[in-house]
Amino acid sequence: MPLPHPTTPSGAADLPRPEHPRPQFVRDAWLNLNGTWQFEIDRADTGLERGLRERPLADRITVPFCPESELSGIGETDFLEAVWYRRTVTVPAEWTGSRVLLHFGAVDHDTTVWADGVEVARHRGGFTPFTADLGEVARPGAELTLVVRARDSRHGVQARGKQATWYANTHCHYTRTTGIWQTVWLEAVPRAAALKRPRITPDLASGSFFLELPLTANPPGHRVRAVLSDERGEVVTATSRADLDLAPRLVLPLPEDRRRVWSPADPHLYDLTLELLDADGTVVDAARSYAGLRSVSLRGKKLLLNGEPVFQRLVLDQGYYPDGLMTAPSDAALVRDIELGLAAGFNGARLHQKVFEERFLHHADRLGYLVWGEFGDWGCEVGVRDDNQRPDASFVTQWLEVLERDHSHPSIVGWCPLNETYQHLHDRLTVLDDVTRGMFLATKQADPTRPVIDASGYAHRVPETDVYDSHCYEQDPAEFAKLMAGLAEDRPYVNAAPDGRPWSVPYAGQPYFCSEFGGIWWDPEAAAAAGDERDVSWGYGERPRTEDEFTERFAGLTGVLLDDPDMFGYCYTQLTDVFQERNGVYRFDRSEKVDVAPLRRAQLRVAAYEDTP
């Protein structure tokens, strides 16, 4: 039977971010380790030599918020070469006989973990989860001391997204994140054999779900079982031997009268129970999940959802918060961001330059919000300077971790491994070409069911990329229309290098969209004050003088793309202001900056793309 949840510890109601961080693979036996940890800044990264691993630390921090954030209780925004965490936890006594796993949602950037002085994990990459098997170190009913060191060198090569590499925030560079910034938690799993994270793939054509259930081992006589349910009860059950393959495969065919397609109009989710049974039929491991039945396909210039053209009215969402930075202050804040996008007339988002925490995807699944999954590597380049986001093998490694985590979320309708890469050496291939192709091929191998943009904007380097796009911040709707007009003749707008030569391989008739535009610099407070400077209020183009002028420009720019029958969607920059970048539909604190009703009316009409065969 499933292991019981440990007794709720004293003060658990006050834990920050108490909800389960992995909503598509939930066991009952888990313990949230958010809250107060010992903490110390190690500015010269000499802490190991100075004994920080062995002694109590000087400060206190609130996990899972990074030390640069207000919510952490630290609020130190200077460069932090390394930081240390320490926490003592009692392993629940009822976990006797189980393996104990220690999970980290994300730690930026280079992490080492010790448990009772024993090194149990190392991980490189600031956006993706990792797990430490505590083995014999964790003894049920006993105290366990956890120590974490996170290194985040200012000059080290790493994928940072929009984190500033100068001291201060400027333009579209934002306050850095160092150390733990997503939930830390313990989980108990069976020792002999246990379920690993499933891969759920919908197949709308057959009305089925294909399910891969990886296992830690294959004892004789064991079986796996999956039960799919809806609001009327059990829909279908499937079983398979679990003693032959490390990842048994199950097919869950739905009866025709129980097939309900997931879409923005009806984001229906099926409940899914996963079980591992021993030779006697006893359930030795179990977890809860869910699934959505939908398809994504390509047809000429069409990108179809469930076989139909659905114009993607996306908004750029960078997922920053004034008090939590890359970490949402609450689960409700994640829901609120989706609700704000929907209220303004968008039906989805590019989750931009950050791997969003999985709970956001869970809410997008529930609310029917279309999203493109992205990696945080903005401006990756070679040939000009020793850039901190210079491409290397860690990009591919961490991106594969993203694909593994997020494969089963129906709200994800496309992948974007790279964004605005620079290819300055026109006369030869570089490591950037290798990494671009490597990330593209890795994506197609890991998930052949979704379209992939090899690199959004600037340098398309893979001829067979599924989707082609461009970024264009022209502010005059008439001029914008001229730039976008060539798509009908297979000559779409393409971003060019400063010397005028193309960065990209030629367009080959793929589905195309303008995946960044708008960015209208609207700051009502600054508009009322003379002499405003862009380093404290920044955006694209000339700032509108009034809200009506902003609304008119928004409607004009979106109208150009809505009226193009060959354009499958767009992505407007952006959902909210972020620090000094004042081009959001909403303010940074999520308060209303403009009346969104006219923006919604401007978007919610039948797009020409949806009205053509």
Side-chain angles (χ1 to χ4, degrees):
M1 295 297 293
L3 294 162
H5 190 287
T7 302
T8 302
S10 175
D14 298 325
L15 280 180
R17 302 303 308 273
E19 61 282 344
H20 198 289
R22 193 183 60 192
Q24 265 197 321
F25 188 44
V26 179
R27 287 188 176 92
D28 290 330
W30 74 287
L31 181 64
N32 192 315
L33 298 186
N34 292 344
T36 301
W37 289 54
Q38 295 180 27
F39 177 78
E40 193 162 326
I41 295 171
D42 181 9
R43 293 196 185 276
D45 191 15
T46 58
L48 194 62
E49 303 163 62
R50 293 185 291 111
L52 265 61
R53 183 179 59 184
E54 290 79 23
R55 67 162 173 81
L57 303 178
D59 211 335
R60 298 294 182 271
I61 190 170
T62 300
V63 169
F65 303 108
C66 70
E68 291 89 347
S69 71
E70 295 175 11
L71 290 176
S72 71
I74 303 296
E76 173 58 81
T77 59
D78 204 348
F79 290 95
L80 304 177
E81 192 73 13
V83 294
W84 290 75
Y85 298 79
R86 187 181 185 91
R87 162 82 185 263
T88 299
V89 60
T90 300
V91 179
E94 54 266 48
W95 289 2
T96 298
S98 301
R99 291 167 51 232
V100 178
L101 304 180
L102 173 63
H103 299 284
F104 293 85
V107 185
D108 195 333
H109 166 261
D110 185 337
T111 310
T112 307
V113 183
W114 295 268
D116 281 352
V118 177
E119 183 181 310
V120 293
R122 289 189 183 188
H123 182 262
R124 187 165 179 245
F127 292 111
T128 47
F130 63 96
T131 297
D133 186 336
L134 298 185
E136 301 306 316
V137 179
R139 300 177 302 280
E143 284 194 342
L144 178 71
T145 299
L146 303 174
V147 175
V148 179
R149 179 188 63 188
R151 291 162 146 166
D152 194 18
S153 174
R154 177 179 185 180
H155 301 292
V157 174
Q158 60 171 277
R160 295 179 183 269
K162 290 294 192 74
Q163 297 180 62
T165 53
W166 304 317
Y167 168 73
N169 294 1
T170 55
H171 301 92
C172 45
H173 302 81
Y174 316 130
T175 303
R176 291 164 293 281
T177 289
T178 300
I180 297 170
W181 67 276
Q182 289 187 33
T183 292
V184 184
W185 50 295
L186 290 178
E187 183 182 37
V189 302
R191 282 187 178 275
L195 300 167
K196 298 171 75 174
R197 185 176 186 123
R199 286 172 58 90
I200 307 164
T201 305
D203 184 62
L204 183 58
S206 66
S208 304
F209 289 102
F210 297 139
L211 180 62
E212 295 177 48
L213 274 179
L215 304 172
T216 60
N218 307 100
H222 278 50
R223 293 179 295 126
V224 290
R225 179 167 63 197
V227 181
L228 194 77
S229 305
D230 62 14
E231 67 282 354
R232 293 159 55 189
E234 183 178 317
V235 177
V236 61
T237 298
T239 62
S240 176
R241 291 179 63 174
D243 56 354
L244 295 177
D245 299 299
L246 274 176
R249 294 170 178 83
L250 300 175
V251 180
L252 295 166
L254 283 74
E256 288 193 16
D257 64 339
R258 304 289 284 276
R259 295 177 188 176
R260 188 169 164 188
V261 177
W262 184 97
S263 71
D266 182 20
H268 178 261
L269 299 173
Y270 293 90
D271 293 323
L272 185 60
T273 301
L274 310 170
E275 296 174 326
L276 177 63
L277 298 84
D278 66 14
D280 296 326
T282 301
V283 176
V284 295
D285 193 14
R288 299 183 302 279
S289 188
Y290 64 85
L293 184 64
R294 65 103 183 90
S295 70
V296 183
S297 57
L298 307 176
R299 185 187 303 155
K301 291 181 183 177
K302 297 288 187 183
L303 197 159
L304 307 176
L305 182 69
N306 302 323
E308 301 293 334
V310 175
F311 192 85
Q312 296 188 21
R313 299 166 174 84
L314 308 180
V315 66
L316 202 75
D317 186 349
Q318 306 203 69
Y320 274 78
Y321 301 86
D323 49 2
L325 300 181
M326 287 205 300
T327 310
S330 67
D331 196 51
L334 298 173
V335 178
R336 178 62 173 156
D337 281 0
I338 296 173
E339 293 174 338
L340 291 174
L342 293 170
F346 301 102
N347 62 6
R350 271 185 72 195
L351 305 184
H352 190 53
Q353 285 310 287
K354 168 189 154 185
V355 179
F356 278 50
E357 55 184 287
E358 196 175 353
R359 294 229 31 122
F360 184 98
L361 299 176
H362 167 62
H363 295 306
D365 295 339
R366 293 190 309 105
L367 297 172
Y369 202 56
L370 305 175
V371 299
W372 284 74
E374 190 168 316
F375 191 47
D377 47 31
W378 174 58
C380 183
E381 66 178 299
V382 294
V384 171
R385 62 180 185 271
D386 185 21
D387 191 85
N388 77 301
Q389 294 201 131
R390 187 173 70 252
D392 68 0
S394 69
F395 280 43
V396 182
T397 302
Q398 196 175 174
W399 181 241
L400 283 168
E401 293 174 335
V402 175
L403 297 171
E404 179 182 7
R405 192 197 77 171
D406 294 342
H407 173 90
S408 302
H409 288 283
S411 58
I412 299 178
V413 295
W415 295 114
C416 180
L418 293 161
N419 177 75
E420 291 191 355
T421 55
Y422 295 84
Q423 175 56 282
H424 291 278
L425 303 178
H426 297 280
D427 59 337
R428 67 180 186 270
L429 299 177
T430 70
V431 66
L432 177 55
D433 293 277
D434 294 335
V435 169
T436 301
R437 185 161 188 82
M439 294 181 80
F440 176 83
L441 293 176
T443 309
K444 298 302 293 185
Q445 180 68 29
D447 182 11
T449 71
R450 293 179 173 96
V452 182
I453 304 174
D454 61 337
S456 183
Y458 295 17
H460 290 290
R461 307 298 299 172
V462 179
E464 64 269 34
T465 182
D466 295 321
V467 171
Y468 210 95
D469 72 344
S470 66
H471 299 170
C472 182
Y473 285 104
E474 171 59 52
Q475 296 293 299
D476 183 340
E479 292 301 317
F480 185 58
K482 293 177 183 177
L483 292 173
M484 293 293 135
L487 181 56
E489 300 175 358
D490 287 343
R491 294 182 295 99
Y493 177 77
V494 176
N495 297 114
D499 62 7
R501 289 187 289 177
W503 267 311
S504 299
V505 296
Y507 174 67
Q510 299 99 324
Y512 177 97
F513 74 136
C514 186
S515 60
E516 286 187 32
F517 77 108
I520 303 170
W521 179 22
W522 174 235
D523 186 341
E525 289 75 23
D532 177 65
E533 298 293 336
R534 282 184 180 262
D535 59 351
V536 295
S537 177
W538 185 86
Y540 292 97
E542 183 179 348
R543 187 178 55 218
R545 292 173 296 239
T546 66
E547 182 175 327
D548 287 345
E549 187 177 327
F550 170 88
T551 301
E552 181 180 357
R553 190 185 303 180
F554 179 95
L557 293 172
T558 55
V560 168
L561 305 178
L562 285 164
D563 290 338
D564 189 333
D566 293 317
M567 187 83 59
F568 77 80
Y570 56 60
C571 181
Y572 179 84
T573 302
Q574 63 180 324
L575 182 65
T576 73
D577 295 342
V578 184
F579 293 106
Q580 70 284 346
E581 191 173 357
R582 308 288 172 81
N583 54 12
V585 173
Y586 299 93
R587 289 187 172 88
F588 196 16
D589 65 3
R590 274 59 175 176
S591 62
E592 188 171 279
K593 186 166 69 168
V594 299
D595 180 2
V596 298
L599 310 187
R600 182 179 176 85
R601 288 195 297 270
Q603 297 191 81
L604 293 189
R605 59 184 176 86
V606 176
Y609 170 81
E610 297 171 303
D611 204 30
T612 56

